[in-house]
Each structure stands twice: as C-alpha cells, then as structure tokens.
Amino acid sequence: MAAGPAAPRVLNVNVGVLGHIDSGKTALARALSTTGSTAAFDRAPQSRARGITLDLGFSCLRTALPPQLGPGPGELQFTLVDCPGHASLIRTIIGGAQIIDLMMLVIDVTKGMQTQSAECLVIGQIACQKMVVVLNKIDLLPEGKRQSAIEKMTKKMQKTLENTKFCGCPIVAVAAKPGGPEAPESENPLGVSELIEVLKSQAYLPSRDPSGHFLMAVDHCFSIKGQGTVMTGTILSGSVSLGDNVEIPALKVIKKVKSMQMFHTPVTYAMQGDRVGICVTQFDPKLLERGLICTPESLHTIHAAIISLKKIQYFRGALQTKAKFHVTVGHETVMGRVMFFSPAPADFNEEIKENVFDFEKDYLYQEEYLSKDSNSENKENDQAGEVQLPKQQWALLEFEKPVTCPKLCLVIGSKLDTDIHANTCRLAFHGVLLQGMEDKNYTETFLPKLKVYKLKHKEGQVERVMDDYSVIGRSLFKKETNIQIFVGLKVKLSTGEDGIIDGGFGQSGKFKIRIPDGLKPDTKMLLTVASKKKSKAGKGDTAKEDESSKNDSAQPVTISLLFKRYVFDTQKKMIQS
C-alpha cells in the first residue's frame, strides 16, 4: 500500500500506577493495556516468582484522541508506569516520579489508605499535577452491600484528599482481576472501560520541551542479535535524532544512535515525554540495567550540593542538622548528611528568587529545619503563639559517594531504614538542587564561599572599676584563652554602657574594658558599693571574697559579647556588625 499522508499523531501521556503492595496495580495495568512494551508486566523472573513488582513496568494503551486535546485524527497513548509498592523499592518510585504526567493511586477497597499509599500520595504531590483514585478489588465486597461500601470508601478518600492538591479528583471503583490471580483469564474486569473514559477526560497536553540537553531514564537494556544493544526508557528532557551521539555518564562512554523505535514502530526523532528504544552498537547490555543517558557532558557528578527545601508535613520528628538521610537525586539514592540554614532574621520575609542561590548574602545556621513544631531559638518571638518562619530554607547536602545528575533536579530525603511496618511516612523533605559541587576537595575550594554564620553570645561580669573610663571584667574567657584575638571587639554592660575589650589583665583570664563615653554615675555607685562589700568580707581571705561575691545581694553588672562566626571560615574570624 502506498504511503498516505503523514501518520496520525500519537500523543503520549505517562500515567504512574502507584499504591500499597498487593493493592492490585499490576493486574490493573494489565487490564488497561492493549500493547505491552518490552518492559511490561513483571518481566523479571525474580518478581514473577515472588508475585510482586520489582521494577518500573511499562505498558501502553491506545485510544482515539479526545476532543479537548485538539482537532484532527490521532491517537492518545497512555504509557502506564507500574511503580513498585514494596517499601524498600521506594527509590524506584521516586526515580519514575519525574516522568509522570498523571497518577493513578490504587487503593484496596477492603483496606483503604495504608502506609505506602500515603507515601505515594506525598510523591504525587511533589512530582505530579493530576490524579485519579482507583478503588480496586470491589469483587471482594458482597454484592448486596457493594454499592454502599464503595460510597463509604469514596467519602473517606475525599476527606483524606481535602487538604492536598488533589482535592476533588475523580474516584473510580473497579475489579481489575475478579476472583484474584488464580481466576481464569475469561473473567472480565469490572469498571475498567469506565476508568479509561475517566483517564481520557483527565488527559492534557503535558508541557513538552524539545530544547535543552537530551536526558533519558533507561529502565531496560538488552541485546538483539545482529542489531546491537537496545536501551529503552523515557525521555526526561530535550530530544534525540538518528545519528546523534549520546553519553552513558556512569560509564563515561559515548555511543552513536543507530536506530530508534517507539512501541515497535521505527522513528527518526523523539522528544521529552516519549517512551523510546534506542539501539547502539558494541555495548554490553550487562553494564547498564538502569540509569541515565544524555547529551555528552551535560550531566555533572557532584560530591555535595546546596538545595532549597521544604519539610514533608506527614514526616514525624525534627529534621536535625548533621543527621543522615537517604537522598534521591536524579536516578540515584545515596546516603547524605545535611546542614540546614535560613536567611538572616532580617530577611525572613524577603521574596526569594526561584531556582537560584545567592552566594553574596549571609545565612543563619540552624540546628534543625525551622517549622511550626520545631524547637527553634525563635521561641522569644512566640508571645502571640506565632513562630516567625522564613519563606525559604536551604540545606547543604554532603554525599557519602558522588552522584551524577542534571542541574536543578528534584531531590527527596527519606529515612528508608524506618521499620516498614511502622505506620509512618518515611519521606522527610523535598527540594531542588540549586548548586552542585563537582570538586572532590569542595570543603577547601567551595565551602568558604558559603556565608553561613552562627551567632555567638558570651557573658561575663564586671569585677571592679579602674577609673571613669575603664573597668576590669572576669568570667568571659577561660584562663587559657588568648585574649589578644578578642581585643577591639565591642561589648555591652547590663547598665547600658558600650565598651571595647582593651586587653588582658593579669594571668587569670581577667581583662580590661574601655568605656569610650564614660561610666554613668549610677553604674559607678553600684560597682563601688559592690567592691566595698567585697573588701569588708575579709581582707586577704580570697576564698571568703569569692563566697561573698556569689552571695552578694547587689545585682552584678554583666558584660555581653555578641559576634558572628562563619561556619566555613578557616580563620574562625569573629565579626560584629
């Protein structure tokens, strides 16, 4: 048959099938699919044996293009990304989350929301715009009570979704495999054709951008005799054409694209959002089961990063500086240590530019991420019950081993070592990678540029008056402190005078303070009375003198020294504004 006009366009929408283990996700994907791609339906022998999905499975379903997606003939292709629900495989889900346009949250109608369903919901909120809830296994409900049980669970789910961005999303009841896994294939699924109509109504033109660097998440790699090695996956950004060079960054290998297929159809071009198989030659498929391929040299390998972040509301417990998290960046999950920081308090309410980090500004070190429930030092401002929270917070992430990822990629921190049977969300924070540090010696070359400071506060007491313009202080420094480094720093007396540290006085850590504007008469009186009492307490008996100064009823005059010290300043300079 002669080639007619251009083939009708195929619009691809990636649908993530997420949910708790055993909620029937794979059965649902199977019921929905008309075409299985290479990676569909638990290809891996170990997952067939265990009856659970171990990897992202892909399959697709084609239907006529619904009218809201534009005129003309065409097909709408739903690529179903069947994400594993098994807890330890959350890394894989996060890896797949970045390519999902629409999410199906599969709920076992007899059990309702479970731990991992909640985690899937969290991931959906971070990485996805639209959702459809599927109440599966309705065949397990007795027929007489089925309708009322479905209505009850629907109401419950609507309540759960009220405070999420998926409030009001469609909820559809189905039985993907009536009778369970052992039932004969002739058993028809219930509600699946209605679900397809709902999916069509929810489909939208995802914003796809062919410009920028090509980046593809490869989920399978296999060889075809006489052809070469095929890498199948989904294009995360940019586009690719026949004859292009692509890099496998994990292996630092560059290969030429020899041929391409989309769902068994040869193509010469593919772009962001497309699911494609790319064939290259002379490459051993065993070297890459899953990972990234990209425009040569477009990804960077980093040892640490600065990220902007938000805490995930369902995570119980504080996010502490120095704590370790499982950090998922791009398609890798590694252990990383965090240090939180926020704008200087004066800039808490300033609007922060998105996706950039300003190295010129000063930032305040935080012992933990500040949130409504954190034990921050901000409790003083808490008179009205309103803790002042900054509009944006950041973290320095230091990885235990380097990671390869695109710039500005999604970052998720979790505590995956939490017991999976504990009914608690293990996802702790999410953010955007603003600045990666590629130099192995970043602590020397890069971190000193990061102006994160701690506020230091030291207190001492005035020992006695020397003259109208100077006093002797004590208890501000340890005996062995080199007071020379503090000379010239400003201090404040509790009576209001400003002073300057002038130098040490004797051997015991005492020091001299100059008062440029002179002591107030009241202060002099106070200090003279105190020292008279002291001298009366016993001439020459130092032990008694110390005792009496402790029990002294006159309020001692305290000395406050406030300064900033930058965390990454190698010289540990003390800075006063």
Side-chain angles (χ1 to χ4, degrees):
M1 187 176 124
R9 68 192 177 112
V10 176
L11 173 72
N12 183 55
V13 173
N14 293 317
V15 180
V17 189
L18 285 88
H20 196 81
I21 186 167
D22 286 341
S23 54
K25 298 182 297 294
T26 305
L28 180 65
R30 192 175 269 132
L32 282 167
S33 291
T34 45
T35 319
S37 79
T38 49
F41 312 135
D42 288 357
R43 197 180 51 104
Q46 68 271 35
S47 63
R48 280 209 201 100
R50 289 169 56 193
I52 59 170
T53 305
L54 282 179
D55 208 332
L56 293 172
F58 290 89
S59 50
C60 86
L61 137 87
R62 282 196 175 182
T63 161
L65 205 57
Q68 85 257 24
L69 295 182
E75 281 189 299
L76 174 60
Q77 170 173 293
F78 287 112
T79 298
L80 303 173
V81 186
D82 176 14
C83 301
H86 185 49
S88 62
L89 300 161
I90 201 157
R91 301 175 177 76
T92 324
I93 302 185
I94 299 170
Q98 305 177 43
I99 51 176
I100 292 171
D101 304 310
L102 174 65
M103 169 170 142
M104 275 197 292
L105 181 63
V106 186
I107 302 283
D108 178 334
V109 73
T110 63
K111 294 185 179 144
M113 282 291 276
Q114 292 166 274
T115 321
Q116 292 153 28
S117 352
E119 290 180 344
C120 293
L121 185 55
V122 168
I123 291 171
Q125 289 202 81
I126 296 166
C128 198
Q129 292 315 309
K130 282 188 148 187
M131 185 172 82
V132 174
V133 174
V134 180
L135 303 176
N136 193 15
K137 306 195 180 182
I138 56 171
D139 55 306
L140 300 180
L141 302 169
E143 281 203 31
K145 297 183 186 152
R146 186 174 294 173
Q147 203 43 46
S148 67
I150 291 172
E151 279 164 22
K152 200 169 146 195
M153 187 57 81
T154 302
K155 280 210 175 71
K156 220 167 160 179
M157 286 305 300
Q158 283 165 337
K159 186 105 191 80
T160 302
L161 298 173
E162 245 173 23
N163 298 320
T164 72
K165 71 171 176 191
F166 303 124
C167 176
C169 78
I171 299 175
V172 186
V174 304
K177 185 98 175 68
E182 307 310 315
E185 290 301 320
S186 56
E187 279 286 329
N188 280 329
L190 308 173
V192 169
S193 50
E194 288 82 350
L195 174 58
I196 291 176
E197 288 311 308
V198 170
L199 287 177
K200 281 167 74 169
S201 75
Q202 294 297 303
Y204 61 98
L205 283 168
S207 56
R208 304 290 194 214
D209 179 8
S211 69
H213 293 302
F214 166 67
L215 177 66
M216 170 164 146
V218 173
D219 39 68
H220 287 84
C221 199
F222 52 91
S223 59
I224 296 179
K225 223 182 156 95
Q227 300 267 327
T229 294
V230 175
M231 299 180 273
T232 64
T234 304
I235 301 176
L236 301 177
S237 68
S239 61
V240 62
S241 300
L242 278 187
D244 282 358
N245 280 335
V246 295
E247 179 186 7
I248 301 157
L251 308 169
K252 302 274 183 270
V253 171
I254 292 181
K255 291 281 166 202
K256 195 181 218 112
V257 176
K258 192 182 157 202
S259 65
M260 293 197 290
Q261 278 199 356
M262 272 157 68
F263 289 99
H264 314 305
T265 312
V267 292
T268 57
Y269 170 86
M271 66 180 268
Q272 185 186 42
D274 286 334
R275 189 151 169 81
V276 63
I278 288 180
C279 183
V280 300
T281 52
Q282 280 143 8
F283 176 66
D284 178 359
K286 287 194 196 70
L287 295 175
L288 184 79
E289 169 60 21
R290 59 178 321 130
L292 297 168
I293 60 172
C294 61
T295 301
E297 294 185 358
S298 62
L299 289 192
H300 56 180
T301 298
I302 57 176
H303 299 267
I306 291 171
I307 66 164
S308 61
L309 81 159
K310 295 253 184 290
K311 182 178 177 179
I312 287 167
Q313 67 193 66
Y314 307 106
F315 182 75
R316 296 193 196 127
L319 303 181
Q320 305 275 8
T321 280
K322 295 200 172 75
K324 284 185 172 181
F325 290 90
H326 291 87
V327 182
T328 303
V329 204
H331 273 245
E332 294 185 65
T333 297
V334 296
M335 290 304 287
R337 194 183 289 282
V338 292
M339 180 192 90
F340 297 105
F341 56 97
S342 66
D347 300 335
F348 263 26
N349 292 322
E350 207 175 277
E351 285 300 327
I352 308 281
K353 277 208 200 94
E354 254 197 321
N355 297 347
V356 288
F357 183 78
D358 186 349
F359 281 95
E360 297 307 307
K361 282 197 149 78
D362 273 18
Y363 298 95
L364 179 61
Y365 172 92
Q366 301 290 4
E367 287 292 345
E368 60 175 293
Y369 178 88
L370 298 181
S371 60
K372 284 194 181 68
D373 46 4
S374 65
N375 313 315
S376 69
E377 269 82 88
N378 282 6
K379 290 288 187 274
E380 289 105 76
N381 317 343
D382 203 11
Q383 308 309 325
E386 267 306 297
V387 179
Q388 268 270 298
L389 293 177
K391 286 204 168 167
Q392 178 62 64
Q393 294 175 66
W394 296 270
L396 168 69
L397 286 181
E398 301 187 75
F399 303 119
E400 286 193 353
K401 57 179 224 265
V403 290
T404 299
C405 60
K407 296 187 163 72
L408 289 179
C409 66
L410 176 66
V411 178
I412 296 183
S414 2
K415 285 272 185 200
L416 297 181
D417 37 13
T418 313
D419 175 17
I420 66 166
H421 302 296
N423 193 12
T424 173
C425 174
R426 292 162 308 151
L427 305 174
F429 61 82
H430 67 96
V432 175
L433 193 145
L434 302 179
Q435 179 78 47
M437 298 168 210
E438 302 185 40
D439 187 344
K440 207 175 184 168
N441 303 319
Y442 67 91
T443 48
E444 287 110 62
T445 57
F446 199 98
L447 288 186
K449 293 182 209 163
L450 180 58
K451 299 200 288 194
V452 174
Y453 67 87
K454 289 183 180 180
L455 276 178
K456 298 284 192 182
H457 182 203
K458 286 175 168 294
E459 285 225 332
Q461 282 182 9
V462 175
E463 165 98 357
R464 61 188 169 85
V465 179
M466 276 184 81
D467 55 44
D468 288 357
Y469 291 94
S470 51
V471 297
I472 300 297
R474 63 179 168 87
S475 316
L476 192 62
F477 305 113
K478 294 194 181 85
K479 216 175 188 158
E480 60 276 11
T481 306
N482 172 10
I483 293 176
Q484 271 325 101
I485 55 178
F486 291 90
V487 168
L489 289 184
K490 297 178 220 159
V491 292
K492 202 171 188 71
L493 303 191
S494 53
T495 45
E497 290 91 338
D498 289 319
I500 292 163
I501 297 177
D502 226 7
F505 184 81
Q507 297 304 306
S508 56
K510 291 181 184 173
F511 53 97
K512 190 174 160 188
I513 294 173
R514 190 159 46 85
I515 312 284
D517 297 337
L519 288 167
K520 297 180 197 162
D522 302 4
T523 310
K524 254 177 94 168
M525 284 269 295
L526 195 67
L527 290 166
T528 324
V529 171
S531 54
K532 273 204 182 120
K533 276 196 183 163
K534 240 187 246 175
S535 54
K536 259 192 206 149
K539 298 260 188 291
D541 190 339
T542 49
K544 268 192 185 158
E545 183 183 321
D546 271 8
E547 275 308 295
S548 86
S549 69
K550 271 185 198 144
N551 306 331
D552 196 354
S553 59
Q555 268 289 232
V557 177
T558 56
I559 304 162
S560 284
L561 169 63
L562 282 168
F563 60 88
K564 293 198 309 200
R565 188 177 265 160
Y566 290 106
V567 178
F568 302 113
D569 173 15
T570 45
Q571 292 159 358
K572 296 199 166 16
K573 284 202 286 283
M574 289 165 287
I575 293 168
Q576 291 181 315
S577 50

